[in-house]
Amino acid sequence: MSRKRVVVGVAGGIAAYKACSVVRQLAEAGHDVRVIPTESALKFVGAATFEALSGHKVHTGVFDEVPEVPHVRLGQEADLVVIAPTTADLLARAVAGRADDLLTATLLTARCPVLFAPAMHTEMWLHPATADNVATLRKRGAVVLEPASGRLTGADTGPGRLPEPEEITTFAQLLLERSDALPFDLSGVKMLVTAGGTREPLDPVRFLGNRSSGKQGYAVARVAAQRGAEVTLVAGNTAGLADPAGVHVEHIGSAAQLRDAVSKHAPDANVLVMAAAVADFRPAQVATTKLKKGGASEPSAIDLVRNDDVLAGAVRARADGQLPNMAAIVGFAAETGDATGDVLFHARAKLARKGCDLLVVNAVGEGRAFEVDSNDGWLLGADGTEAALEHGSKTLMASRIVDAIGALLHSGMH
């Protein structure tokens, strides 16, 4: 990505220290980062820290460096404004259009995407005044992240915790990658997403698995939640990925456990996204003790049996009327070409065989799709439509997948 001008605003909350990581990550990504703290923010983190991380002087008022007119210029020139943390007070001042310090003046002059990352006590976040302010900013086109739930100041816990810096910078990068805004268009939608690889036990220490990292499924869950959906994520092996903010996560191990979790949550869901890499086979017998070389337990062969096809099962259940709320089912296909046909040939056949509404297709191979941070592919529709998904971050690809899901829901396909 080309070098962009990013303004990071920092409001006065205890989570201001996390802004240091946001600034560092954006600067390390190659962007020109300017930090604008409020006076209250500097009570938590000193100006010297932000100056060292960004390489720019830090000011809070509109009367600093007046000849450069920073209260107008910074907003005009920015490609993105990120406010992390955003306090309840700053949300209110942004909604009112205040311009009583350098940060709020910059917000008024910015015509680029604006990303707010709220952090406050649960009572403040849930207060009707804050809810109205968030709704107003979203209606104006700003992106207001849902906060995480967890430990707050003191012994309090609940929603209102600042999302982790990696999550904030992920959405910052997404807004820089997308050529359009990120809408808040899935309010009221219940989405069930599966992610990661399953592990099929062979003995107490060994298993059959695959190379899926879970990053693409996590990205879909993360983007959907920040577009307003109520998301449940069924996660297999995901190599220690942090749970996305605002998402209910249920961790499983085997294909059978994933099947049971989907069966439990699918009746309430409007959308099912099967991004998990579910093992097609499992060992017919699971040893109760470790298999050893040279001993009586050393296997000469491993017999395999088929696992249930969870995606096909969900399609059948909907057709049978068991999933009355299910409006869209999305499958994933990791394909390679062979002597009988290319990737798309096999993907089209899989879409017809599975009967889902959308199929996300990835060409896989060394350094492609699995265990990497970028992706590309195709999106095939049951109506015969085909669209290329351009190469980019997995979060960008997730946002395009969620775009297609939103269009499907709003078209009233089912």
Side-chain angles (χ1 to χ4, degrees), residues 26 38 51 118 123 132 134 136 139 181 212 252 278 323 405:
L26 289 171
T38 63
E51 290 174 349
E123 293 83 359
D132 287 347
V134 169
T136 298
K139 186 169 64 175
S212 173
I252 56 88
V278 185
L323 302 177
I405 293 171

Side-chain angles (χ1 to χ4, degrees), residues 133-221:
N133 289 337
V134 169
T136 298
L137 290 171
R138 285 172 172 161
K139 186 169 64 175
R140 293 175 183 172
V143 176
V144 184
L145 296 181
E146 289 292 314
S149 292
R151 184 72 176 268
L152 305 171
T153 305
D156 294 341
T157 60
R161 180 182 174 90
L162 185 72
E164 291 305 310
E166 292 77 12
E167 185 142 355
I168 297 169
T169 55
T170 291
F171 278 98
Q173 295 278 53
L174 175 61
L175 291 176
L176 290 170
E177 280 188 283
R178 280 180 68 111
S179 58
D180 54 355
L182 190 70
F184 190 81
D185 58 348
L186 296 179
S187 181
V189 173
K190 293 183 178 181
M191 188 176 296
L192 176 59
V193 181
T194 68
T198 60
R199 292 180 169 183
E200 310 305 313
L202 180 61
D203 66 14
V205 298
R206 300 182 181 90
F207 59 87
L208 300 181
N210 56 61
R211 294 171 58 191
S212 173
S213 64
K215 291 179 180 179
Q216 189 63 75
Y218 266 55
V220 170

Side-chain angles (χ1 to χ4, degrees), residues 3 20 38 58 120 127 149 151 161 167 172 199 211 228 237 244 262 297 315 328 337 339 371 373 379-380 405-406 410:
R3 182 177 174 86
C20 298
T38 63
V58 166
M120 62 198 73
H127 195 282
S149 292
R151 184 72 176 268
R161 180 182 174 90
E167 185 142 355
R199 292 180 169 183
R211 294 171 58 191
N237 176 48
V262 169
S297 65
V315 172
E371 300 177 312
D373 294 324
L379 190 61
L380 309 186
I405 293 171
H410 295 141

Side-chain angles (χ1 to χ4, degrees), residues 347-371:
R348 293 176 187 125
K350 184 169 186 176
L351 175 62
R353 188 170 65 252
K354 297 288 188 180
C356 51
D357 303 305
L358 295 169
L359 186 70
V360 181
V361 184
N362 299 129
V364 296
E366 189 65 31
R368 298 191 67 184
F370 289 137
E371 300 177 312

Side-chain angles (χ1 to χ4, degrees), residues 5-9 32-34 36 74 78 80-83 103 106:
R5 294 188 179 96
V6 181
V7 171
V8 176
D32 180 18
V33 183
R34 299 290 297 260
I36 307 178
L74 291 175
L80 175 69
V81 177
V82 179
I83 313 295
L103 181 53
T106 298

Side-chain angles (χ1 to χ4, degrees), residues 333-350:
E335 295 287 351
T336 59
D338 59 23
T340 64
D342 61 11
V343 168
L344 279 176
F345 173 84
H346 291 294
R348 293 176 187 125
K350 184 169 186 176

